[in-house]
Amino acid sequence: MSNFQAPLRDIDFVLFELFDYESHCQVLPGGGDLNRDLATAILNENARFCQEVLAPLNPVGDSQGCRWHDGQVQTPDGFKEAYQQYCQAGWPSMTRNQAYGGQGLPLSLGVVLNEMVASANAAWAMYPGLSQGAMHTIEVHGTQYQQQTYLPRLTSGDWTGTMCLTEAHCGSDLGLLRTRAEPQADGSYRITGTKIFISAGDHDMAENIIHIVLARLPDAPAGTKGISLFIVPKFQVNADGSLGAPNHVNCGSIEHKMGIHGNATCVLNFDGATATLLGEPNKGLNGMFTFMNLARLGTGSQGLALAEAAWQKSLAYARARLQMRSLTGPKNPQGIADPIIVHPDVRRMLLTQKALTEGARMLAYFAAMQIDISQHGADPAARDDAEEMLSILTPIAKAFMTETGFESTNHALQCFGGHGYIREWGLEQIVRDSRIASLYEGTTGIQALDLLGRKVLMTQGQALQGFVRMIDDFCLSQADNDALAHLCKPLVELKSEWLGLTQSIGARAMQNPDEVGAASVDYIMYSGYLTLAYLWGRAAACAHQALTEKPEEQAFYQAKLHTARFYYERILPRTRALVQSIKSGADNLMALPESDFIF
């Protein structure tokens, strides 16, 4: 059952009304011509492709899955043809460098487009999605030869890219990595080892697949300081750019997974595969983070995308399903019962989805615009500020948007009752597909340690100051707006509490380092709720002003104001439990001896 409709009105609100996207683009290279009309035309065409081509293939991909035979992967029916249409329309090149055949539009526009693609078909979206990170990594760290060899064909979509980190014994702890890289007399390398969980690692949709691979040189130091980054194409590339012989990399198998069945999650065997070094020797982790940080925002957006798809289905069902009468009297007196949307508990689930999903959209687009500024801003100080802001927002976006995205999909399924558990309605697929997002590209626990341990405490809280100033500036700008006092007052209080919690954790961690790990997940979720509180405050201010300027859209803006109120009164109080959990410390986790964990 496919009835996905791209949320174009809310996208327009967030981009152009909340964040003044036109002005943002005017100061970016290649963005000067991207006015609201042009951006809207692009978004509308992307929406059409998603609704008409990708969404109908979503249940096909889930039911058929990928098929593996003799080292080759066959994607579900229609996936290859959809990808050909995607490339012919120029979508892979939309935000890429014009020097390699791209259209040079801002990366943030790509984040918006990719959200719609993932809502329509999350498994399919991963094939072109990973290529974006591969292109960015080669553009930042590659030699001129590597850029000229690989980027034009990746930009056109003729080739796709992957990220190859994980090994069977080595997940988040990349210091344990064993894949070897042997230097050759001609300056190339031979890669030997096995990588697992490689999304889009093999398929039949593109002519070549360019693997970005972590491996160790023979004389490399132990641990993460001895990891290098390499380019390993599935087919070797001749000097004239044509495809040569197959490289010594093959797909040993594909995983049988809970969800995203339409995407091939591969075991890749590198048996002396020819490679070239990407970046400096033993600096591979730095290069891979170029890829991973984009992938983390993309994964957060996947949580948003699937939450949107689930929200649409549950809202339509809640309006149509007739069950019982409203406690305050019949709302559908001519029918046998009232639609379930009249019942308070169904409203709770629907509004929770709406608040979290629309809040996540604001967070995703705001973070994407910070990437634009950090990469292309004309003012060096503005670039530095954006980079600092991203150091905080990236782990929050990845962790919070995937955790609340999964929560939202479960609320959507619950709205259906038993029907949600049945395949024909499509909700159980969305729930299964969304579960992976908080696992790959660094689990929620890994993101939480990165935020609290590396970004916040290692900078003694300095990394938070840009975000704190942003909250202060917003609340100061609304000081005379009585209509927003019920939002600004708790927002200021939460901001101060956040800083106090940070100091408290840091002080305890000086005595016991386990305090960081004990507090980290609660801390990142608190940070996420605070971030959305700030964004919902801004959205409410924008909607309040628009009520007088656009009376014809009163219902839309009143819904924004109501959802902001719901978020503050029903969801933001979750921070109370998180504070108590953080303050309880590490002892209640670590005091029980491991030997006493008995079943």
mmCIF file with all atom_site columns, all heavy atoms in Angstrom, residues 519-539:
data_model
loop_
_atom_site.group_PDB
_atom_site.id
_atom_site.type_symbol
_atom_site.label_atom_id
_atom_site.label_alt_id
_atom_site.label_comp_id
_atom_site.label_asym_id
_atom_site.label_entity_id
_atom_site.label_seq_id
_atom_site.pdbx_PDB_ins_code
_atom_site.Cartn_x
_atom_site.Cartn_y
_atom_site.Cartn_z
_atom_site.occupancy
_atom_site.B_iso_or_equiv
_atom_site.pdbx_formal_charge
_atom_site.auth_seq_id
_atom_site.auth_comp_id
_atom_site.auth_asym_id
_atom_site.auth_atom_id
_atom_site.pdbx_PDB_model_num
ATOM 1   N N   . ALA A 1 519 ? 26.462 8.766  31.911 1.00 0.00 ? 519 ALA A N   1
ATOM 2   C CA  . ALA A 1 519 ? 25.563 9.890  31.651 1.00 0.00 ? 519 ALA A CA  1
ATOM 3   C C   . ALA A 1 519 ? 25.318 10.150 30.180 1.00 0.00 ? 519 ALA A C   1
ATOM 4   O O   . ALA A 1 519 ? 24.369 10.862 29.828 1.00 0.00 ? 519 ALA A O   1
ATOM 5   C CB  . ALA A 1 519 ? 26.132 11.158 32.293 1.00 0.00 ? 519 ALA A CB  1
ATOM 6   N N   . SER A 1 520 ? 26.136 9.604  29.303 1.00 0.00 ? 520 SER A N   1
ATOM 7   C CA  . SER A 1 520 ? 26.227 10.110 27.931 1.00 0.00 ? 520 SER A CA  1
ATOM 8   C C   . SER A 1 520 ? 24.936 9.978  27.123 1.00 0.00 ? 520 SER A C   1
ATOM 9   O O   . SER A 1 520 ? 24.530 10.923 26.438 1.00 0.00 ? 520 SER A O   1
ATOM 10  C CB  . SER A 1 520 ? 27.386 9.432  27.189 1.00 0.00 ? 520 SER A CB  1
ATOM 11  O OG  . SER A 1 520 ? 27.203 8.028  27.156 1.00 0.00 ? 520 SER A OG  1
ATOM 12  N N   . VAL A 1 521 ? 24.260 8.836  27.165 1.00 0.00 ? 521 VAL A N   1
ATOM 13  C CA  . VAL A 1 521 ? 23.047 8.675  26.351 1.00 0.00 ? 521 VAL A CA  1
ATOM 14  C C   . VAL A 1 521 ? 21.935 9.571  26.879 1.00 0.00 ? 521 VAL A C   1
ATOM 15  O O   . VAL A 1 521 ? 21.225 10.226 26.095 1.00 0.00 ? 521 VAL A O   1
ATOM 16  C CB  . VAL A 1 521 ? 22.612 7.199  26.296 1.00 0.00 ? 521 VAL A CB  1
ATOM 17  C CG1 . VAL A 1 521 ? 21.218 7.074  25.670 1.00 0.00 ? 521 VAL A CG1 1
ATOM 18  C CG2 . VAL A 1 521 ? 23.605 6.384  25.484 1.00 0.00 ? 521 VAL A CG2 1
ATOM 19  N N   . ASP A 1 522 ? 21.776 9.621  28.197 1.00 0.00 ? 522 ASP A N   1
ATOM 20  C CA  . ASP A 1 522 ? 20.781 10.541 28.751 1.00 0.00 ? 522 ASP A CA  1
ATOM 21  C C   . ASP A 1 522 ? 21.121 11.986 28.380 1.00 0.00 ? 522 ASP A C   1
ATOM 22  O O   . ASP A 1 522 ? 20.226 12.792 28.098 1.00 0.00 ? 522 ASP A O   1
ATOM 23  C CB  . ASP A 1 522 ? 20.723 10.402 30.274 1.00 0.00 ? 522 ASP A CB  1
ATOM 24  C CG  . ASP A 1 522 ? 20.182 9.056  30.713 1.00 0.00 ? 522 ASP A CG  1
ATOM 25  O OD1 . ASP A 1 522 ? 19.307 8.514  30.010 1.00 0.00 ? 522 ASP A OD1 1
ATOM 26  O OD2 . ASP A 1 522 ? 20.637 8.539  31.751 1.00 0.00 ? 522 ASP A OD2 1
ATOM 27  N N   . TYR A 1 523 ? 22.398 12.315 28.381 1.00 0.00 ? 523 TYR A N   1
ATOM 28  C CA  . TYR A 1 523 ? 22.837 13.675 28.064 1.00 0.00 ? 523 TYR A CA  1
ATOM 29  C C   . TYR A 1 523 ? 22.533 14.021 26.612 1.00 0.00 ? 523 TYR A C   1
ATOM 30  O O   . TYR A 1 523 ? 22.056 15.131 26.310 1.00 0.00 ? 523 TYR A O   1
ATOM 31  C CB  . TYR A 1 523 ? 24.337 13.803 28.329 1.00 0.00 ? 523 TYR A CB  1
ATOM 32  C CG  . TYR A 1 523 ? 24.901 15.185 28.107 1.00 0.00 ? 523 TYR A CG  1
ATOM 33  C CD1 . TYR A 1 523 ? 24.885 16.137 29.108 1.00 0.00 ? 523 TYR A CD1 1
ATOM 34  C CD2 . TYR A 1 523 ? 25.467 15.542 26.882 1.00 0.00 ? 523 TYR A CD2 1
ATOM 35  C CE1 . TYR A 1 523 ? 25.403 17.409 28.915 1.00 0.00 ? 523 TYR A CE1 1
ATOM 36  C CE2 . TYR A 1 523 ? 25.980 16.807 26.664 1.00 0.00 ? 523 TYR A CE2 1
ATOM 37  C CZ  . TYR A 1 523 ? 25.954 17.742 27.691 1.00 0.00 ? 523 TYR A CZ  1
ATOM 38  O OH  . TYR A 1 523 ? 26.468 18.996 27.481 1.00 0.00 ? 523 TYR A OH  1
ATOM 39  N N   . ILE A 1 524 ? 22.773 13.102 25.681 1.00 0.00 ? 524 ILE A N   1
ATOM 40  C CA  . ILE A 1 524 ? 22.526 13.429 24.273 1.00 0.00 ? 524 ILE A CA  1
ATOM 41  C C   . ILE A 1 524 ? 21.026 13.519 24.004 1.00 0.00 ? 524 ILE A C   1
ATOM 42  O O   . ILE A 1 524 ? 20.585 14.357 23.200 1.00 0.00 ? 524 ILE A O   1
ATOM 43  C CB  . ILE A 1 524 ? 23.213 12.415 23.326 1.00 0.00 ? 524 ILE A CB  1
ATOM 44  C CG1 . ILE A 1 524 ? 23.411 13.055 21.947 1.00 0.00 ? 524 ILE A CG1 1
ATOM 45  C CG2 . ILE A 1 524 ? 22.434 11.116 23.188 1.00 0.00 ? 524 ILE A CG2 1
ATOM 46  C CD1 . ILE A 1 524 ? 24.307 12.250 21.016 1.00 0.00 ? 524 ILE A CD1 1
ATOM 47  N N   . MET A 1 525 ? 20.221 12.723 24.695 1.00 0.00 ? 525 MET A N   1
ATOM 48  C CA  . MET A 1 525 ? 18.780 12.834 24.513 1.00 0.00 ? 525 MET A CA  1
ATOM 49  C C   . MET A 1 525 ? 18.262 14.145 25.120 1.00 0.00 ? 525 MET A C   1
ATOM 50  O O   . MET A 1 525 ? 17.416 14.821 24.512 1.00 0.00 ? 525 MET A O   1
ATOM 51  C CB  . MET A 1 525 ? 18.067 11.632 25.131 1.00 0.00 ? 525 MET A CB  1
ATOM 52  C CG  . MET A 1 525 ? 18.368 10.310 24.432 1.00 0.00 ? 525 MET A CG  1
ATOM 53  S SD  . MET A 1 525 ? 17.987 10.310 22.649 1.00 0.00 ? 525 MET A SD  1
ATOM 54  C CE  . MET A 1 525 ? 16.199 10.403 22.677 1.00 0.00 ? 525 MET A CE  1
ATOM 55  N N   . TYR A 1 526 ? 18.781 14.529 26.272 1.00 0.00 ? 526 TYR A N   1
ATOM 56  C CA  . TYR A 1 526 ? 18.437 15.836 26.839 1.00 0.00 ? 526 TYR A CA  1
ATOM 57  C C   . TYR A 1 526 ? 18.810 16.937 25.845 1.00 0.00 ? 526 TYR A C   1
ATOM 58  O O   . TYR A 1 526 ? 18.021 17.865 25.602 1.00 0.00 ? 526 TYR A O   1
ATOM 59  C CB  . TYR A 1 526 ? 19.184 16.036 28.162 1.00 0.00 ? 526 TYR A CB  1
ATOM 60  C CG  . TYR A 1 526 ? 18.848 17.318 28.892 1.00 0.00 ? 526 TYR A CG  1
ATOM 61  C CD1 . TYR A 1 526 ? 18.046 17.300 30.025 1.00 0.00 ? 526 TYR A CD1 1
ATOM 62  C CD2 . TYR A 1 526 ? 19.331 18.543 28.453 1.00 0.00 ? 526 TYR A CD2 1
ATOM 63  C CE1 . TYR A 1 526 ? 17.734 18.474 30.701 1.00 0.00 ? 526 TYR A CE1 1
ATOM 64  C CE2 . TYR A 1 526 ? 19.026 19.728 29.115 1.00 0.00 ? 526 TYR A CE2 1
ATOM 65  C CZ  . TYR A 1 526 ? 18.223 19.691 30.238 1.00 0.00 ? 526 TYR A CZ  1
ATOM 66  O OH  . TYR A 1 526 ? 17.909 20.858 30.899 1.00 0.00 ? 526 TYR A OH  1
ATOM 67  N N   . SER A 1 527 ? 20.002 16.829 25.273 1.00 0.00 ? 527 SER A N   1
ATOM 68  C CA  . SER A 1 527 ? 20.464 17.829 24.314 1.00 0.00 ? 527 SER A CA  1
ATOM 69  C C   . SER A 1 527 ? 19.549 17.883 23.106 1.00 0.00 ? 527 SER A C   1
ATOM 70  O O   . SER A 1 527 ? 19.272 18.966 22.559 1.00 0.00 ? 527 SER A O   1
ATOM 71  C CB  . SER A 1 527 ? 21.900 17.516 23.873 1.00 0.00 ? 527 SER A CB  1
ATOM 72  O OG  . SER A 1 527 ? 22.780 17.447 24.981 1.00 0.00 ? 527 SER A OG  1
ATOM 73  N N   . GLY A 1 528 ? 19.068 16.730 22.667 1.00 0.00 ? 528 GLY A N   1
ATOM 74  C CA  . GLY A 1 528 ? 18.151 16.688 21.537 1.00 0.00 ? 528 GLY A CA  1
ATOM 75  C C   . GLY A 1 528 ? 16.820 17.347 21.850 1.00 0.00 ? 528 GLY A C   1
ATOM 76  O O   . GLY A 1 528 ? 16.281 18.115 21.037 1.00 0.00 ? 528 GLY A O   1
ATOM 77  N N   . TYR A 1 529 ? 16.276 17.058 23.025 1.00 0.00 ? 529 TYR A N   1
ATOM 78  C CA  . TYR A 1 529 ? 15.011 17.694 23.400 1.00 0.00 ? 529 TYR A CA  1
ATOM 79  C C   . TYR A 1 529 ? 15.176 19.204 23.523 1.00 0.00 ? 529 TYR A C   1
ATOM 80  O O   . TYR A 1 529 ? 14.279 19.972 23.136 1.00 0.00 ? 529 TYR A O   1
ATOM 81  C CB  . TYR A 1 529 ? 14.490 17.105 24.710 1.00 0.00 ? 529 TYR A CB  1
ATOM 82  C CG  . TYR A 1 529 ? 13.961 15.698 24.568 1.00 0.00 ? 529 TYR A CG  1
ATOM 83  C CD1 . TYR A 1 529 ? 14.515 14.643 25.289 1.00 0.00 ? 529 TYR A CD1 1
ATOM 84  C CD2 . TYR A 1 529 ? 12.901 15.412 23.703 1.00 0.00 ? 529 TYR A CD2 1
ATOM 85  C CE1 . TYR A 1 529 ? 14.037 13.343 25.158 1.00 0.00 ? 529 TYR A CE1 1
ATOM 86  C CE2 . TYR A 1 529 ? 12.417 14.119 23.559 1.00 0.00 ? 529 TYR A CE2 1
ATOM 87  C CZ  . TYR A 1 529 ? 12.995 13.087 24.291 1.00 0.00 ? 529 TYR A CZ  1
ATOM 88  O OH  . TYR A 1 529 ? 12.515 11.804 24.145 1.00 0.00 ? 529 TYR A OH  1
ATOM 89  N N   . LEU A 1 530 ? 16.310 19.656 24.055 1.00 0.00 ? 530 LEU A N   1
ATOM 90  C CA  . LEU A 1 530 ? 16.567 21.090 24.147 1.00 0.00 ? 530 LEU A CA  1
ATOM 91  C C   . LEU A 1 530 ? 16.697 21.705 22.756 1.00 0.00 ? 530 LEU A C   1
ATOM 92  O O   . LEU A 1 530 ? 16.166 22.798 22.491 1.00 0.00 ? 530 LEU A O   1
ATOM 93  C CB  . LEU A 1 530 ? 17.843 21.335 24.954 1.00 0.00 ? 530 LEU A CB  1
ATOM 94  C CG  . LEU A 1 530 ? 18.359 22.777 24.995 1.00 0.00 ? 530 LEU A CG  1
ATOM 95  C CD1 . LEU A 1 530 ? 17.342 23.698 25.648 1.00 0.00 ? 530 LEU A CD1 1
ATOM 96  C CD2 . LEU A 1 530 ? 19.692 22.844 25.724 1.00 0.00 ? 530 LEU A CD2 1
ATOM 97  N N   . THR A 1 531 ? 17.393 21.023 21.859 1.00 0.00 ? 531 THR A N   1
ATOM 98  C CA  . THR A 1 531 ? 17.567 21.533 20.495 1.00 0.00 ? 531 THR A CA  1
ATOM 99  C C   . THR A 1 531 ? 16.216 21.704 19.814 1.00 0.00 ? 531 THR A C   1
ATOM 100 O O   . THR A 1 531 ? 15.942 22.742 19.179 1.00 0.00 ? 531 THR A O   1
ATOM 101 C CB  . THR A 1 531 ? 18.462 20.583 19.681 1.00 0.00 ? 531 THR A CB  1
ATOM 102 O OG1 . THR A 1 531 ? 19.732 20.452 20.336 1.00 0.00 ? 531 THR A OG1 1
ATOM 103 C CG2 . THR A 1 531 ? 18.683 21.107 18.276 1.00 0.00 ? 531 THR A CG2 1
ATOM 104 N N   . LEU A 1 532 ? 15.353 20.701 19.925 1.00 0.00 ? 532 LEU A N   1
ATOM 105 C CA  . LEU A 1 532 ? 14.031 20.827 19.307 1.00 0.00 ? 532 LEU A CA  1
ATOM 106 C C   . LEU A 1 532 ? 13.185 21.876 20.005 1.00 0.00 ? 532 LEU A C   1
ATOM 107 O O   . LEU A 1 532 ? 12.347 22.525 19.353 1.00 0.00 ? 532 LEU A O   1
ATOM 108 C CB  . LEU A 1 532 ? 13.312 19.475 19.299 1.00 0.00 ? 532 LEU A CB  1
ATOM 109 C CG  . LEU A 1 532 ? 13.301 18.779 17.921 1.00 0.00 ? 532 LEU A CG  1
ATOM 110 C CD1 . LEU A 1 532 ? 14.712 18.464 17.466 1.00 0.00 ? 532 LEU A CD1 1
ATOM 111 C CD2 . LEU A 1 532 ? 12.445 17.525 17.939 1.00 0.00 ? 532 LEU A CD2 1
ATOM 112 N N   . ALA A 1 533 ? 13.394 22.084 21.301 1.00 0.00 ? 533 ALA A N   1
ATOM 113 C CA  . ALA A 1 533 ? 12.662 23.146 21.987 1.00 0.00 ? 533 ALA A CA  1
ATOM 114 C C   . ALA A 1 533 ? 13.028 24.508 21.396 1.00 0.00 ? 533 ALA A C   1
ATOM 115 O O   . ALA A 1 533 ? 12.157 25.366 21.172 1.00 0.00 ? 533 ALA A O   1
ATOM 116 C CB  . ALA A 1 533 ? 12.966 23.114 23.484 1.00 0.00 ? 533 ALA A CB  1
ATOM 117 N N   . TYR A 1 534 ? 14.318 24.716 21.160 1.00 0.00 ? 534 TYR A N   1
ATOM 118 C CA  . TYR A 1 534 ? 14.753 25.963 20.525 1.00 0.00 ? 534 TYR A CA  1
ATOM 119 C C   . TYR A 1 534 ? 14.122 26.111 19.142 1.00 0.00 ? 534 TYR A C   1
ATOM 120 O O   . TYR A 1 534 ? 13.585 27.175 18.791 1.00 0.00 ? 534 TYR A O   1
ATOM 121 C CB  . TYR A 1 534 ? 16.278 25.982 20.426 1.00 0.00 ? 534 TYR A CB  1
ATOM 122 C CG  . TYR A 1 534 ? 16.814 26.974 19.431 1.00 0.00 ? 534 TYR A CG  1
ATOM 123 C CD1 . TYR A 1 534 ? 16.751 28.342 19.676 1.00 0.00 ? 534 TYR A CD1 1
ATOM 124 C CD2 . TYR A 1 534 ? 17.371 26.541 18.224 1.00 0.00 ? 534 TYR A CD2 1
ATOM 125 C CE1 . TYR A 1 534 ? 17.226 29.256 18.748 1.00 0.00 ? 534 TYR A CE1 1
ATOM 126 C CE2 . TYR A 1 534 ? 17.850 27.449 17.299 1.00 0.00 ? 534 TYR A CE2 1
ATOM 127 C CZ  . TYR A 1 534 ? 17.771 28.804 17.555 1.00 0.00 ? 534 TYR A CZ  1
ATOM 128 O OH  . TYR A 1 534 ? 18.234 29.701 16.627 1.00 0.00 ? 534 TYR A OH  1
ATOM 129 N N   . LEU A 1 535 ? 14.157 25.053 18.351 1.00 0.00 ? 535 LEU A N   1
ATOM 130 C CA  . LEU A 1 535 ? 13.636 25.123 16.988 1.00 0.00 ? 535 LEU A CA  1
ATOM 131 C C   . LEU A 1 535 ? 12.118 25.295 16.975 1.00 0.00 ? 535 LEU A C   1
ATOM 132 O O   . LEU A 1 535 ? 11.577 26.049 16.149 1.00 0.00 ? 535 LEU A O   1
ATOM 133 C CB  . LEU A 1 535 ? 14.059 23.883 16.207 1.00 0.00 ? 535 LEU A CB  1
ATOM 134 C CG  . LEU A 1 535 ? 15.565 23.793 15.922 1.00 0.00 ? 535 LEU A CG  1
ATOM 135 C CD1 . LEU A 1 535 ? 15.947 22.405 15.439 1.00 0.00 ? 535 LEU A CD1 1
ATOM 136 C CD2 . LEU A 1 535 ? 15.983 24.851 14.895 1.00 0.00 ? 535 LEU A CD2 1
ATOM 137 N N   . TRP A 1 536 ? 11.413 24.625 17.886 1.00 0.00 ? 536 TRP A N   1
ATOM 138 C CA  . TRP A 1 536 ? 9.967  24.818 17.953 1.00 0.00 ? 536 TRP A CA  1
ATOM 139 C C   . TRP A 1 536 ? 9.636  26.224 18.442 1.00 0.00 ? 536 TRP A C   1
ATOM 140 O O   . TRP A 1 536 ? 8.612  26.810 18.046 1.00 0.00 ? 536 TRP A O   1
ATOM 141 C CB  . TRP A 1 536 ? 9.309  23.756 18.838 1.00 0.00 ? 536 TRP A CB  1
ATOM 142 C CG  . TRP A 1 536 ? 8.874  22.561 18.054 1.00 0.00 ? 536 TRP A CG  1
ATOM 143 C CD1 . TRP A 1 536 ? 9.324  21.287 18.159 1.00 0.00 ? 536 TRP A CD1 1
ATOM 144 C CD2 . TRP A 1 536 ? 7.877  22.548 17.021 1.00 0.00 ? 536 TRP A CD2 1
ATOM 145 N NE1 . TRP A 1 536 ? 8.692  20.468 17.257 1.00 0.00 ? 536 TRP A NE1 1
ATOM 146 C CE2 . TRP A 1 536 ? 7.793  21.218 16.542 1.00 0.00 ? 536 TRP A CE2 1
ATOM 147 C CE3 . TRP A 1 536 ? 7.071  23.516 16.455 1.00 0.00 ? 536 TRP A CE3 1
ATOM 148 C CZ2 . TRP A 1 536 ? 6.926  20.841 15.529 1.00 0.00 ? 536 TRP A CZ2 1
ATOM 149 C CZ3 . TRP A 1 536 ? 6.194  23.154 15.433 1.00 0.00 ? 536 TRP A CZ3 1
ATOM 150 C CH2 . TRP A 1 536 ? 6.122  21.819 14.979 1.00 0.00 ? 536 TRP A CH2 1
ATOM 151 N N   . GLY A 1 537 ? 10.497 26.798 19.292 1.00 0.00 ? 537 GLY A N   1
ATOM 152 C CA  . GLY A 1 537 ? 10.298 28.185 19.670 1.00 0.00 ? 537 GLY A CA  1
ATOM 153 C C   . GLY A 1 537 ? 10.392 29.117 18.478 1.00 0.00 ? 537 GLY A C   1
ATOM 154 O O   . GLY A 1 537 ? 9.557  30.013 18.290 1.00 0.00 ? 537 GLY A O   1
ATOM 155 N N   . ARG A 1 538 ? 11.406 28.906 17.663 1.00 0.00 ? 538 ARG A N   1
ATOM 156 C CA  . ARG A 1 538 ? 11.557 29.718 16.458 1.00 0.00 ? 538 ARG A CA  1
ATOM 157 C C   . ARG A 1 538 ? 10.393 29.508 15.498 1.00 0.00 ? 538 ARG A C   1
ATOM 158 O O   . ARG A 1 538 ? 9.884  30.457 14.883 1.00 0.00 ? 538 ARG A O   1
ATOM 159 C CB  . ARG A 1 538 ? 12.879 29.384 15.763 1.00 0.00 ? 538 ARG A CB  1
ATOM 160 C CG  . ARG A 1 538 ? 14.094 29.967 16.443 1.00 0.00 ? 538 ARG A CG  1
ATOM 161 C CD  . ARG A 1 538 ? 15.353 29.789 15.616 1.00 0.00 ? 538 ARG A CD  1
ATOM 162 N NE  . ARG A 1 538 ? 15.271 30.421 14.296 1.00 0.00 ? 538 ARG A NE  1
ATOM 163 C CZ  . ARG A 1 538 ? 16.268 30.437 13.426 1.00 0.00 ? 538 ARG A CZ  1
ATOM 164 N NH1 . ARG A 1 538 ? 17.430 29.850 13.736 1.00 0.00 ? 538 ARG A NH1 1
ATOM 165 N NH2 . ARG A 1 538 ? 16.130 31.038 12.253 1.00 0.00 ? 538 ARG A NH2 1
ATOM 166 N N   . ALA A 1 539 ? 9.955  28.259 15.354 1.00 0.00 ? 539 ALA A N   1
ATOM 167 C CA  . ALA A 1 539 ? 8.834  27.973 14.452 1.00 0.00 ? 539 ALA A CA  1
ATOM 168 C C   . ALA A 1 539 ? 7.567  28.663 14.936 1.00 0.00 ? 539 ALA A C   1
ATOM 169 O O   . ALA A 1 539 ? 6.779  29.194 14.129 1.00 0.00 ? 539 ALA A O   1
ATOM 170 C CB  . ALA A 1 539 ? 8.620  26.466 14.349 1.00 0.00 ? 539 ALA A CB  1
#
